[in-house]
Amino acid sequence: MRYTTEHHWLRADAGFVIVGITPFAVAQLGTLVLVDLPQMADSIAKGDEIAMVESSKAVSDITAPISGDIVAVNTALAGNPTLINGDPMGDGWMF
């Protein structure tokens, strides 16, 4: 598990990297009401704004912590963004 100064977490799994936001980031944001994720097959560069989360407190852009291709997104977040609040390091993964 790796962490960035922007409060992302990265976990290597079977040759892929799973990305989410840390419990600290979730605590600062509060209850999430909307998550906008990158599209499948998008090529991203480190530092690109690729996702957005909205809470009752703020709207925050998520920047790519690494370069690569998006091969999976957590589609469950579209209908239930609070999965990130309840389990940011597990069921609340983003891409």
Side-chain angles (χ1 to χ4, degrees), residues 2-85:
R2 304 270 180 176
Y3 300 92
T4 70
T5 57
E6 293 82 20
H7 305 290
H8 303 100
W9 58 262
L10 298 91
R11 181 175 60 234
D13 186 14
F16 298 98
V17 177
I18 301 168
V19 177
I21 58 175
T22 65
F24 176 81
V26 171
Q28 297 303 304
L29 289 166
T31 302
L32 297 179
V33 296
L34 178 68
V35 177
D36 183 26
L37 297 173
Q39 298 295 312
M40 292 282 294
D42 279 355
S43 289
I44 59 172
K46 183 177 180 178
D48 286 353
E49 292 180 2
I50 59 167
M52 181 271 304
V53 292
E54 181 178 342
S55 71
S56 56
K57 293 182 181 181
V59 175
S60 294
D61 290 321
I62 305 296
T63 57
I66 59 174
S67 298
D69 297 319
I70 301 296
V71 297
V73 295
N74 189 350
T75 57
L77 298 178
N80 189 5
T82 58
L83 284 173
I84 295 174
N85 292 99

